[in-house]
Amino acid sequence: MIKIGVCDDNSTLLQKYQKMVDVVSKECDWEIKSYAFNDGEDVLKMLIEDGECLDILFLDILMRKMNGVETAKKIREINSKVIIIFLTSSEEYIFESIGLSAMAYLLKDQLTEDTFKQTLSKAIGIANESKNDVLQFKKSGRMYKLSYHDICFVKIYKGYCYIHHWDGIIYESADASIANELIENGFFQVHEQYVVSLQYIGRIEKDHIILSDQSKNEIPIDKELSKQLKLTFANFMIQKAKGEISNGN
């Protein structure tokens, strides 16, 4: 099931968009659950306090309380996977939301049912593809949802997993199963304290690796794991060259 949210502080437009979601979903025989929100705070309450997840969010940029850009920024702090589609009355507001990884921008006064259907269809396709490509974990009652592709490495220390995101944010979790889950999904345990994403390995040295992300972190390698790491990484690069593995970013 795909969970789709629509957020707009204009109740008439909110009803209109939610009806479009329902109509298009029935036409295409999609299994969806839709949610209506009057402002960004309601969206965040659902995601943070209630621990629920959304796959797709149609988000109005101009709202009286918390605007769409502020809402999207807070969403991105906890969820890199929700597909955000901005609704706006003017092109000038699009520039304010650059960097928030929105899938699309829809101009309200030019929005037709066909355009809406095409955009929603594309979003659902992306959501379905990434359903099994996500790490989910809870901390202090808050649900986090991160794409495997956005995680550079995890440090395991004193019973905690410190998840290093490509943009520099570090998430902390007491869920020890996180490391094992990542190892099954394109990561390699290079050291008893480190699990690293193969796609973020820039260079393998004698006793450490250098990551290719902006941090250029150096991660120690366990001597006994060095040979297997090189073989695994070589196979990964061959598959990537053949197009069997996407960059994910």
Side-chain angles (χ1 to χ4, degrees):
M1 178 180 288
I2 300 293
K3 295 181 179 181
I4 303 171
V6 182
C7 181
D8 197 310
D9 61 356
N10 182 314
S11 58
T12 302
L13 289 176
L14 182 60
Q15 290 177 11
K16 174 187 174 183
Y17 299 139
Q18 191 171 30
K19 185 178 179 181
M20 290 171 78
V21 168
D22 293 337
V23 168
V24 172
S25 298
K26 285 177 183 176
E27 285 180 3
C28 299
D29 197 26
W30 291 323
E31 187 180 358
I32 67 111
K33 185 173 182 180
S34 62
Y35 301 82
F37 305 98
N38 293 305
D39 59 62
E41 292 177 355
D42 289 341
V43 177
L44 295 173
K45 181 181 182 300
M46 175 183 173
L47 295 175
I48 298 173
E49 294 182 21
D50 301 339
E52 292 285 339
C53 290
L54 284 173
D55 297 299
I56 301 167
L57 176 64
F58 288 88
L59 181 60
D60 185 23
I61 289 182
L62 278 181
M63 293 187 288
R64 286 184 292 274
K65 289 185 179 180
M66 181 183 291
N67 67 43
V69 174
E70 292 171 344
T71 303
K73 284 179 180 178
K74 290 186 178 294
I75 289 173
R76 285 293 179 242
E77 289 176 5
I78 60 168
N79 190 322
S80 63
K81 291 299 288 182
V82 61
I83 298 166
I84 296 175
I85 299 165
F86 280 117
L87 301 165
T88 180
S89 55
S90 174
E91 292 181 6
E92 66 180 280
Y93 297 109
I94 292 175
F95 298 102
E96 296 181 22
S97 59
I98 291 175
L100 295 172
S101 303
M103 192 204 86
Y105 298 86
L106 300 178
L107 290 172
K108 290 184 173 184
D109 58 353
Q110 298 177 22
L111 184 55
T112 64
E113 191 168 310
D114 281 344
T115 300
F116 191 90
K117 182 177 180 179
Q118 289 173 9
T119 305
L120 181 55
S121 179
K122 181 180 177 181
I124 285 180
I126 294 171
N128 279 326
E129 285 179 5
S130 63
K131 274 289 185 181
N132 299 316
D133 192 25
V134 172
L135 175 70
Q136 295 190 64
F137 59 95
K138 254 187 178 180
K139 182 193 172 189
S140 303
R142 176 185 290 190
M143 177 65 74
Y144 291 83
K145 188 175 180 183
L146 303 176
S147 167
Y148 293 141
H149 297 297
D150 291 337
I151 300 170
C152 296
F153 70 96
V154 171
K155 181 176 182 179
I156 305 154
Y157 184 69
K158 291 187 176 180
Y160 283 86
C161 287
Y162 296 90
I163 304 159
H164 290 247
H165 195 272
W166 69 266
D167 65 3
I169 298 174
I170 301 173
Y171 300 87
E172 179 187 319
S173 174
D175 185 353
S177 68
I178 284 176
N180 290 330
E181 179 179 337
L182 292 177
I183 290 168
E184 294 173 1
N185 289 279
F187 288 70
F188 190 94
Q189 184 149 14
V190 299
H191 185 276
E192 63 178 356
Q193 289 187 330
Y194 292 94
V195 175
V196 178
S197 169
L198 292 170
Q199 72 169 358
Y200 283 105
I201 293 178
R203 195 163 74 247
I204 300 177
E205 301 290 350
K206 183 179 179 181
D207 59 358
H208 67 277
I209 59 175
I210 300 173
L211 298 186
S212 61
D213 69 323
Q214 58 190 358
S215 73
K216 305 298 181 189
N217 275 312
E218 295 186 5
I219 308 293
I221 301 173
D222 188 317
K223 206 174 0 179
E224 295 179 358
L225 297 171
S226 180
K227 185 176 180 179
Q228 186 58 49
L229 169 63
K230 290 175 181 176
L231 287 172
T232 302
F233 184 63
N235 286 329
F236 171 81
M237 294 303 291
I238 290 169
Q239 288 180 288
K240 190 174 179 182
K242 289 180 178 179
E244 296 172 9
I245 296 175
S246 66
N247 290 327
N249 292 319

